[in-house]
Amino acid sequence: NVDRLTDAVVDIFDQHLRNHLPGGADRWQAVGRVAFSATVRFYVERSMPIRFVLPAFPCKSPNTESKVLGTLPDLGEELALRTMDFVGKMIKQVYPPGVSFLIVSDGHVFSDLLGVDDNAVVQYGNTLRAMSQTMGLSCPFGFSGLDDLLLMPSNSASDLARLGLDDLVLEQPLDSLVTPDANRARRILQATSGSSEEFLKKEIMEDPEVTTLYRGFSRFLLEDLNHPSLANLPSKNARKKLCARLAFLMIMRNRAYSAMVALVYPLHIRISIHPHPNAGPKFGIRLIHPTYLYRGEQAAAKIELFHTPTPWHNCIVRDVNGAHILMHRNIVETAAKAKNIQYSIELYPDARPSHIQIECPFADV
């Protein structure tokens, strides 16, 4: 019975949530399924809800001109939550204890490197929590962030002195409004869970996968950032150099946060928005289920090794038939104007942008 239930749960995850990498990059069948099944079996043997942890939902991209509709969660985040809930309900039908999802926001891990104000991260997270409570979700969802993982009370400035971190300086190349609490948490993260720059530089030089990740992040940041610090630089090469440094720092912090999440939640199944070979311990997921998308398309953009299209870097477009596509804002607006298609930005009752509505079927575009 344990084997049957375990296989049923794993099959649902594989078919409805896991992100399948193309070609020979995916190692799920070779080793990943066995590793995933072992953790599922741990819960099934004890008749416990299966616990997933997902570092994600940081904040909206700062590029509101080309990529997103605003700074707060919209229909994209709603569909992502509904996707996890949809899969959770399917699992509960075959395994009554069901599942729970813990979203650990990485917003404050990276916001200062993106030029996003710390208070914007807080507002995004608060709105996401409020949204989840009004959606009628069936599965339990939990939300936390960097401060929660560190169990930090507010105004704990003495923590840095007690830990001997008074002199630790964060590199923050872009201007943004940082809060003392968020900066303190970033400094503790860097000091307790970070690795050396020399080690990462060596990996970038010698490991093709890390090299691809680094170059991909650099290109992504060059496209994503719409910040005065970049606009004021004298040349494109100067902008590329700054984005390369930001990419390096983001990888450093991402690894530190990943290590901290693994330490704090050792028994949770670690799912990720980034494509992974799915060999474990991390398993890549599709944030939006194909049933919610036009022709099952995840996005207009190609999924690359380092990045899966997400609601916080794109917006949702809905056609007259209620189908959805996840894509950059400027692509939609440019195409609509070129083809003389009527469109509008739909709002929630609280005046937040929700999605772009086009007045024709996607098939006609």
Side-chain angles (χ1 to χ4, degrees), residues 266-282:
L267 299 180
H268 284 59
I269 297 177
R270 173 72 155 81
I271 51 179
S272 172
I273 62 161
H274 299 291
H276 286 279
N278 295 312
K282 298 178 186 178

Side-chain angles (χ1 to χ4, degrees), residues 40-95:
V40 171
R41 186 184 180 91
F42 169 86
Y43 289 106
V44 172
E45 287 176 337
R46 293 159 178 80
S47 298
M48 294 169 57
I50 299 163
R51 298 175 180 175
F52 291 93
V53 61
L54 174 64
F57 296 87
C59 57
K60 284 292 192 183
S61 163
N63 194 339
T64 53
E65 293 182 7
S66 300
K67 289 196 169 184
V68 296
L69 298 178
T71 61
L72 297 175
D74 55 32
L75 184 58
E77 280 85 354
E78 186 177 331
L79 292 178
L81 293 176
R82 291 199 184 282
T83 291
M84 288 183 277
D85 193 56
F86 172 72
V87 174
K89 285 189 286 189
M90 292 183 68
I91 291 175
K92 192 173 180 65
Q93 289 177 354
V94 300
Y95 177 63

Side-chain angles (χ1 to χ4, degrees), residues 119-184:
N119 283 333
V121 175
V122 173
Q123 191 175 12
Y124 175 92
N126 289 341
T127 306
L128 183 70
R129 289 176 175 86
M131 172 189 282
S132 71
Q133 294 169 1
T134 62
M135 289 172 55
L137 301 173
S138 300
C139 297
F141 279 81
F143 298 88
S144 66
L146 180 57
D147 290 3
D148 302 303
L149 265 63
L150 293 170
L151 300 176
M152 283 178 53
S154 296
N155 302 316
S156 55
S158 61
D159 287 352
L160 292 177
R162 191 166 62 249
L163 294 170
L165 303 179
D166 278 343
D167 297 329
L168 193 152
V169 177
L170 285 173
E171 185 175 349
Q172 297 171 311
L174 299 184
D175 292 331
S176 64
L177 296 176
V178 298
T179 63
D181 284 350
N183 245 8
R184 183 161 53 251

Side-chain angles (χ1 to χ4, degrees), residues 145-280:
L146 180 57
D147 290 3
D148 302 303
L149 265 63
L150 293 170
L151 300 176
M152 283 178 53
S154 296
N155 302 316
S156 55
S158 61
D159 287 352
L160 292 177
R162 191 166 62 249
L163 294 170
L165 303 179
D166 278 343
D167 297 329
L168 193 152
V169 177
L170 285 173
E171 185 175 349
Q172 297 171 311
L174 299 184
D175 292 331
S176 64
L177 296 176
V178 298
T179 63
D181 284 350
N183 245 8
R184 183 161 53 251
R186 285 188 280 259
R187 291 165 74 183
I188 294 175
L189 173 70
Q190 180 174 308
T192 59
S193 303
S195 57
S196 71
E197 289 200 17
E198 290 72 22
F199 183 76
L200 179 55
K201 287 176 181 176
K202 188 172 186 292
E203 282 190 286
I204 291 172
M205 293 290 292
E206 299 177 358
D207 188 327
E209 193 169 307
V210 180
T211 304
T212 300
L213 178 71
Y214 170 66
R215 290 175 177 171
F217 262 84
S218 299
R219 291 195 306 271
F220 178 77
L221 287 166
L222 193 61
E223 171 191 282
D224 195 52
L225 292 180
N226 184 19
H227 193 276
S229 297
L230 270 72
N232 293 334
L233 291 174
S235 66
K236 186 175 181 179
N237 282 339
R239 291 193 291 275
K240 284 183 176 180
K241 185 176 180 180
L242 176 57
C243 286
R245 182 58 185 171
L246 290 169
F248 186 91
L249 295 172
M250 285 188 71
I251 294 173
M252 290 278 291
R253 290 200 198 169
N254 178 65
R255 289 184 169 191
Y257 196 54
S258 183
M260 181 172 286
V261 169
L263 179 66
V264 177
Y265 303 109
L267 299 180
H268 284 59
I269 297 177
R270 173 72 155 81
I271 51 179
S272 172
I273 62 161
H274 299 291
H276 286 279
N278 295 312

